[in-house]
Amino acid sequence: QNITGKVTNVTDGSPLPGVTVVEKGSTKGTVTDAQGQYTLNAAAEATLIFSYLGYVSQEIPVGGRTTVDVAMKEDTKSLNEVVVTALGIQRDKKALAYSVTEVKGSEFTQARENNVANALSGKIAGVNATGLSTGPGGSSRIIIRGNGSLTGANQPLYVINGMPIDNTTPGGSATANGGQGNVDRGDGIGGINPDDIESMSVLKGGTAAALYGSRAANGVILITTKKGRAQKGIGVDFNSTFTAESIAVVPDWQYEYGQGDGAVKPTTQAQGIAWGRRSWGAKIDGSDFVAADGLTHPYVAQRNNLKNFYQTGKTFTNTLAVNGGNENVNYRFSVSDLDAKGILPTQTYNRKTGNLSLNGKFGPKIAVEALAQYTIEANNNKTGAGDALGNPNWTPYMIGNTSDIRWLAPGYDANNNEIAWNDASIASNSYFVINKYKQNDTKNRFIGQFGLTYNILDNLFVKGTVSRDFFNYQYKYILPTGTLYVPNGEYNELKTDVSETNAMVTANYNTKIASTIGLSALVGANRRDYNYNQINIAGSNYVLPYFYSSTNLRTITTTPLNQRVRTNSVFGSLDLDYKGIAFLTMTGRQDWFSTLSPKNNSIFYPSIGGSFVLSQAIALPRAIDFAKVRASWAQVGGATPDPYAINLTYSMVPSSGQPLQNVTSTAITNAGLKPLTSTTYEVGVDLQFLNRRVGLDLTYYNRSTTDDIVQTSISETSGYNSVYMNVGKMSNKGVEALVTYSPIRRKNFGWDISYNVAYNDSKVIKLADGITSLQMATSVGNWAYINSIEGRSYGTIVGTTRQRDANGNIIYDPTTGYALKSNLHELGKGVPPLTMGLTNEFHYKNFSFNFLVDGKFGNKIFSVLEVYANRMGKLKRTLDGRENGLTVTGVTASGDSFTKTIAKENLRTYYDNDKNYTELFLHDASFVKLRQAMVSYNIPVKNFKLLKLQSASISFVSRNILTLYKNTDNFDPEQSFTNSSNQGFESIGLPRTRSYGLNLLLKF
Amino acid sequence: TINGDYVFTKAQYDAVGNMITGLQGTMQYTTSYNDVAGWGSKYIFNQGTAPYAVFSSAYTKELNEMGEIVRAFEKDPALVNKLAIAKIWQVYCFSKVTDLYGDIPYKEAALGYVSSNYKPVYDSQQSIYTDLLAQLETAVGMFDATKTTFGAADMIYGGDLTKWKKFAYSLMLRMGMRMTKANSTLAETWVKKAIAGGVIREDADLAKISYLASGQIINQNPLAYWMLNSDYILANGNSNPEGGKYDKVFIDYLKATNDPRLPVISVVYVNGKASNDPSIQKGMAHNIANTKPSDFVTYSEPNQNTLLKLSAPMLVLTNAEVNFYLAEAALRGWYTTETAANLYASGTRAALRQWSLYGSDGVISDANIEAYVTAQALKTGTVAAQMEQIHTQFWVSVFPNSQEVFLNWRRTGYPALVPNNYAGNNTGGQIFRRMLYPATEENLNADNYYKAVATQGANEFMTRIWLDKQ
């Protein structure tokens, strides 16, 4: 029989278009039109499920009626009952055997991080999100439940509407210590416009991700984009945001002794330059001195060099979206423009996106969906980091503390040559870098998806989808003529084409057995092709000065890189449902990897999970509204992402004379590589009490990776720098808790609290035979290392300390007068084990206010900035001995007492030696931050009838507002420059910022 | 698949280009007012990888390459000459590393791919020397004139077996002499064996690699490339990024001896133009602490028309060097066919002549050569005084090959350089005795590194290695 009805919003009675109405246990369904009306042919005894994202789903038995009207309630806690899971399948949350967290698109729209991934920070238990200190257009680093692989990227797989996208950083991630052109070139997720996102689901566990195969070993972030809705006329959304950001962290330098050397202030320009970055001078007394500019200035502290050099960053984003359609065809089209100026003068980032989404039904059998997105990203003058040459952050941090950085502007003379400001020309004049270095990149990216569903029977359909994510990237780095250190300049160009193509076909079957057991089965196959083609043109010495073309170089090297990877897969899943009380899910997948030897390139991995809704099965105390227990076990297999890792190859070396040849790579290839396995089991409970005012979601997981494929550094004396191998086992165990509480829930006033906490214990259980430690990264100058050591946690910081005797006295070498340096040993964790976030949300009538506090605890960070600041006499610890010389006391190796006084004139070289002791520049990186605060106001649109406004809201948002707790005086503990796995070094990137923004959302 | 010829050419480039440029300063040829760039002349090591350079580069480049091609040539008996030449070159490559660092991975070196050895043990320098010398002897014995040899792929001798034989014995002579301090008996044995085998005695036999003026970096003279790009590319005498100039000690010596090489190698910029007028040449003091002197432009720096030519050759082992070793052997009574004075004069003469390899600006007239040779003739006197004269001449004659000069100075103590006691130096004000193992060895090859340090001594500049112990 035909059933009709109207779906309305329970609070105001307004019609709800786009609500999904399905007959339970079948695939029959429809969506409501613009007036909230629907018509569905269903049996008289059927049960209808009404679901709509952001609203509480309802199941209503028809009971012989022909009209079924429904009033739906908004789900204020964003804990929607229906969540998007693997392959874009929507599932009832209580049926899930694992923990899934969904974040609504509005949270990204309002938070206004350029890179949407950064907005996850502090929101989800077990998800460690870090933005990098690289300015607008920078990458993000997301780690879910700890680092599973020793040297892999460890970042999750990003999936849009069921199909994977690419998250590659072209040319590779920036490193903590590289030199010229060492910039963060941005990742794939950064190209997604938050305004196009309907919701984001984070699949943390292996079971959740098992269907995605190898690349899901680190979790999956599922993005569902906004789609058109059936409605009368055309809906128009306009969203405009302006954000400003400014420096939030300024080093706590010493300002007692000024610029100079040997306790003397500069009195000539030659001294002003030679001591340009040294604060080893006389006591600051307001007298006169001569700075690098040759002028006489008062000898007073200049505390504002960071503020004077950097500017206020500004980002202006506008998105216009139109959508509409009828029961058969829906569309949504959006265009967006993001225009950002970084805090680094001349750094800009522009992102334009066009996004088109189409959904249609052609008769009862065929449905199609299509998505096309085009993105153009353009960057100018990204910041470098690490080594000093071309790093624009060097001068503001290191300039003598009585010099004003603006005296060095514009950094070049009448002949466009760099003006010297210090003794080492490798430490560039930052004004010259921002004014004369040229660095720009553009990325043109297209994401296309097309899916076709054919309903063979009411309960059996097949779906085919193809998707392609393709980008073309061009990067140019020009070290100009007239650079002091490299007078004739250098040139570097990168052209990269990357594509990720997936073709997938699935068949779904639903049925009921004995009217109590629901069964849903899926089988599918996928082919993934990944191509990476790159040409790098590097050269030096411009023949004609100031003409920056690759045709104008005296020496030039062209390096092509072509990589192709194919993975073929078949997979299947089976879901069973007993009366909505007990659920069981099983999956299996087999992958074949083109990057491994045919002898061992295939792996099968299964998963199984179940959940049991206690509150429906047995009578529980009245206070408990809902109780569910869940458990799952899953395996995910994976292979090396790098092709050419199995056989030794030889390559011709570019030569202008005799032909030259060498082994292709300094990495030892390994024909015996086999796929890695990541195994996770998790158990959890989901409880709701006191009329659902209090909720608790608790998970324990245990994830272990065996036969991890690593590319690890080895001793150069082996003839190679690194080797590919399968190494033993590593484990991540942890607990995650989400506690929600609604102290006040009234019609006009509400207060919701949400607290998440996660503890992850990572441990390297076994490496390879004869190998108990792997080196993962080194700092500038090899002052610290990041190792993975058997029996310790992933990413351990290793370095040296001053040797001490049993009584704690420092042991000195009497010849040099310096403390003896210990052997390398473990100094702390590079990755925080404990993370948490607390959100408070208030609603009052049309106002809402929320704030987020988050924290990370238990890790250390080694500061390269401080090593240099110590050498330059800017750290407060270098004040010891400035007046009368520094007297050190301790013992000698033979146990005699040792005392030495270093004259104040020689303090600089004495303190410089401290770089040999890692411990002095290592800090606890724990912090608590007021991450975000936001006030929104829903403008009552009834007063503006003429504008035909449906709704309007305005919000004010501020991010990274305050650091409530930290142990680093001179930098932000989250200061990281790379999105690679090597976390634990600070390396003179951009200072951290706080931002304020205003967001206006209008719907017509 | 591997083409042994092409890899061999690469290994020749790599080995000859592998150097510690800071030794130019250590031997007081050059200096800088800046203490980072001038680390070699100020014995202060702030940061970077400079003291590791030869070690790091050798294993991943020439030593790995030589391992690959020796294994390739061993498979085919017809390639025995190529194998023998490769083995001689392998000895040269290894000796270069052990001479600077002491105990190094040798037997297990560069076997990362072949035998998955990622942590090679360090062998004692004494055992390495013993084996290298034996390898040389074996290799020379393998030559078979009826079989094929390298052509143009051998940039040094084009596969000429006779010349390679002389090179092998000259290398044996050099290495034998290197041992005079550590084990003089052993030194005598090998020196005599080398002389008997026949060493380089003619200019035509000296070992050198020629380079190109443009194109890929690897085809350009590595020393000139480094000097140009670190300091002298603008050729105006003033805007030297690393603050480099000739050291006062070197220029003063050349001036005091009226050395005709001074105008060949040294210029001063006057009004932006290079002048090689010997009277205005002057070196910069190596104790200047970081402040650019106001008269910086008036100091001498390398001549763009000889030393700094990208197409200049690199001299690997010369007639001059061999003659100085022979002169010392004569003094020691290990070689009696010729007199020390004559051998010394031949060495000096050859050293002056070899500048003509740098082009027309390097040619020194016969008259000037003879005048200098006569003026510098070996004085009669004590053996110690004669040793000093020979090895001081070695210092000016083997320039710019500062590694050989450094090793010769370490062994003989000549020239009698006055150490630069620069504030905050790492050596207690003394000249380096060795270079440093890379810092990463302590992290990546810890057990073997700690064993090596335990037997040889701390990984410091002043630790004396086997060759340097009396």
Side-chain angles (χ1 to χ4, degrees), chain A residues 261 270-271 274-275 277-278 387 423-425 484-488 540-541 554-558 646-648 650 652-663 666 668-670 713-721 723-725 770-775 777-778 780-783 785-787 798 800 816 818 821-824 868 871 906 908-909 912-913 915, chain B residues 1-10 13-14 33-36 44-49 52 55-57 59-61 64-65 68 105 108-114 116-120 122 152-153 155 212 214-220 225 229-231 233-234 239-242 289-292 422-426 428 438-445 450:
Chain A
D261 198 12
Q271 284 178 339
W275 304 341
R277 52 177 189 165
R278 288 185 189 158
D387 214 345
D423 59 311
S425 55
L484 276 174
Y485 191 69
V486 190
N488 289 344
S540 60
N541 291 316
R554 286 207 195 277
T555 52
I556 185 164
T557 310
T558 304
I646 54 176
N647 294 318
L648 182 69
Y650 297 89
M652 294 307 286
V653 176
S655 170
S656 312
Q658 286 294 317
L660 304 176
Q661 193 191 53
N662 196 8
V663 293
T666 57
I668 297 178
T669 50
N670 184 339
S713 295
I714 52 174
S715 169
E716 296 154 333
T717 58
S718 66
Y720 295 83
N721 290 323
V723 61
Y724 287 96
M725 56 182 168
I771 295 175
T772 52
S773 170
L774 295 182
Q775 173 181 303
T778 65
V780 179
N782 293 313
W783 295 315
Y785 299 88
I786 294 177
N787 283 6
V798 164
T800 56
T816 61
Y818 292 127
K821 170 170 94 164
S822 74
N823 284 351
L824 292 177
Y868 284 107
R871 177 192 292 182
N906 297 331
R908 177 177 68 87
T909 42
D912 185 28
N913 182 66
K915 62 183 180 268
Chain B
T1 55
I2 186 167
N3 180 309
D5 284 17
Y6 297 169
V7 179
F8 182 62
T9 315
K10 172 94 171 30
Y13 272 137
D14 286 341
Y33 60 82
N34 179 306
D35 61 22
V36 174
I44 187 163
F45 175 48
N46 272 312
Q47 176 191 338
T49 54
Y52 321 147
F55 188 103
S56 292
S57 186
Y59 286 99
T60 49
K61 288 184 172 169
N64 194 53
E65 288 153 1
E68 285 287 322
E108 297 185 0
L111 292 176
Y113 188 81
V114 186
S116 303
N117 188 335
Y118 311 139
K119 295 181 174 183
Y122 284 63
M155 291 186 297
L212 305 175
S214 64
Q216 300 289 336
I217 296 169
I218 196 167
N219 305 114
Q220 305 176 0
Y225 184 86
N229 283 292
S230 55
D231 268 318
I233 198 151
L234 292 185
S239 48
N240 303 5
E242 298 278 27
N290 276 298
T291 307
K292 185 176 177 179
Y422 188 80
N425 68 68
N426 303 114
T440 47
E441 277 293 285
E442 186 180 355
N443 201 30
L444 295 170
N445 194 9
Y450 289 136

Side-chain angles (χ1 to χ4, degrees), chain A residues 29-67:
Chain A
T30 181
V31 288
T32 57
D33 64 13
Q35 283 72 44
Q37 304 278 0
Y38 72 94
T39 307
L40 183 72
N41 190 293
E45 67 276 13
T47 296
L48 300 185
I49 302 172
F50 295 83
S51 58
Y52 187 43
L53 219 52
Y55 286 76
V56 178
S57 293
Q58 295 193 24
E59 291 190 14
I60 296 177
V62 174
R65 288 177 290 172
T66 55
T67 306

Side-chain angles (χ1 to χ4, degrees), chain B residues 339-456:
Chain B
T339 65
N342 282 343
L343 289 160
Y344 164 82
S346 304
T348 309
R349 206 174 275 123
L352 294 168
R353 276 197 310 264
Q354 78 193 21
W355 282 98
S356 65
L357 297 170
Y358 286 77
S360 55
D361 287 73
V363 176
I364 301 168
S365 72
D366 288 348
N368 283 346
I369 291 176
E370 288 315 316
Y372 180 80
V373 169
T374 311
Q376 295 298 316
L378 192 63
K379 298 190 179 83
T380 51
T382 62
V383 169
Q386 290 185 322
M387 278 288 281
E388 172 158 16
Q389 202 184 345
I390 293 169
H391 292 292
T392 305
Q393 191 56 241
F394 191 103
W395 172 57
V396 288
S397 292
V398 180
F399 170 83
N401 187 347
S402 53
Q403 173 160 337
E404 283 314 318
V405 177
F406 168 69
L407 299 170
N408 205 53
W409 164 84
R410 185 176 67 189
R411 174 177 70 89
T412 64
Y414 303 122
L417 300 173
V418 179
N420 177 15
N421 195 0
Y422 188 80
N425 68 68
N426 303 114
T427 61
Q430 296 302 307
I431 296 175
F432 303 130
R433 307 304 304 186
R434 69 186 279 273
M435 289 293 118
L436 305 180
Y437 297 135
T440 47
E441 277 293 285
E442 186 180 355
N443 201 30
L444 295 170
N445 194 9
D447 294 348
N448 295 317
Y449 169 87
Y450 289 136
K451 267 182 227 159
V453 168
T455 49
Q456 179 170 276

Side-chain angles (χ1 to χ4, degrees), chain B residues 203-233:
Chain B
D203 292 353
D205 292 339
L206 66 71
K208 66 165 202 308
I209 292 188
S210 303
Y211 290 90
L212 305 175
S214 64
Q216 300 289 336
I217 296 169
I218 196 167
N219 305 114
Q220 305 176 0
N221 181 304
L223 182 64
Y225 184 86
W226 171 75
M227 289 195 288
L228 282 171
N229 283 292
S230 55
D231 268 318
Y232 308 115
I233 198 151

Side-chain angles (χ1 to χ4, degrees), chain B residues 79-270:
Chain B
L79 300 177
V80 66
N81 289 326
K82 290 188 179 185
L83 176 64
I85 292 170
K87 287 194 159 217
I88 294 166
W89 194 246
Q90 199 175 25
V91 171
Y92 168 77
C93 297
F94 268 115
S95 70
K96 227 177 146 168
V97 184
T98 183
D99 284 346
L100 284 177
Y101 298 91
D103 297 355
I104 56 165
Y106 174 67
K107 286 207 177 67
E108 297 185 0
L111 292 176
Y113 188 81
V114 186
S115 50
S116 303
N117 188 335
Y118 311 139
K119 295 181 174 183
V121 301
Y122 284 63
D123 295 302
S124 76
Q125 185 170 45
Q126 187 170 7
S127 70
I128 296 169
Y129 250 71
T130 308
D131 195 64
L132 288 178
L133 287 161
Q135 291 281 344
L136 269 184
E137 205 173 10
T138 317
V140 179
M142 287 160 64
F143 283 138
D144 181 345
T146 64
K147 292 198 169 127
T148 180
T149 180
F150 286 114
D154 168 17
M155 291 186 297
I156 298 178
Y157 293 128
D160 185 324
L161 299 184
T162 319
K163 287 185 176 178
W164 270 107
K165 199 169 165 187
K166 288 183 188 172
F167 177 85
Y169 282 117
S170 302
L171 184 58
M172 190 185 285
L173 175 66
R174 180 195 266 183
M175 292 174 65
M177 276 297 173
R178 204 85 94 210
M179 294 190 294
T180 53
K181 201 167 173 182
N183 187 335
S184 123
T185 322
L186 212 54
E188 183 179 348
T189 312
W190 285 102
V191 165
K192 285 180 169 167
K193 204 178 274 188
I195 297 170
V199 293
I200 297 169
R201 295 300 303 273
E202 287 171 39
D203 292 353
D205 292 339
L206 66 71
K208 66 165 202 308
I209 292 188
S210 303
Y211 290 90
L212 305 175
S214 64
Q216 300 289 336
I217 296 169
I218 196 167
N219 305 114
Q220 305 176 0
N221 181 304
L223 182 64
Y225 184 86
W226 171 75
M227 289 195 288
L228 282 171
N229 283 292
S230 55
D231 268 318
Y232 308 115
I233 198 151
L234 292 185
N236 59 20
N238 195 34
S239 48
N240 303 5
E242 298 278 27
K245 287 284 178 179
Y246 275 126
D247 192 319
K248 185 173 188 309
V249 174
F250 186 46
I251 298 296
D252 283 355
Y253 185 85
L254 295 177
K255 285 181 85 166
T257 51
N258 289 318
D259 198 312
R261 281 168 290 201
L262 182 57
V264 170
I265 61 172
S266 177
V267 295
V268 169
Y269 284 85
V270 182

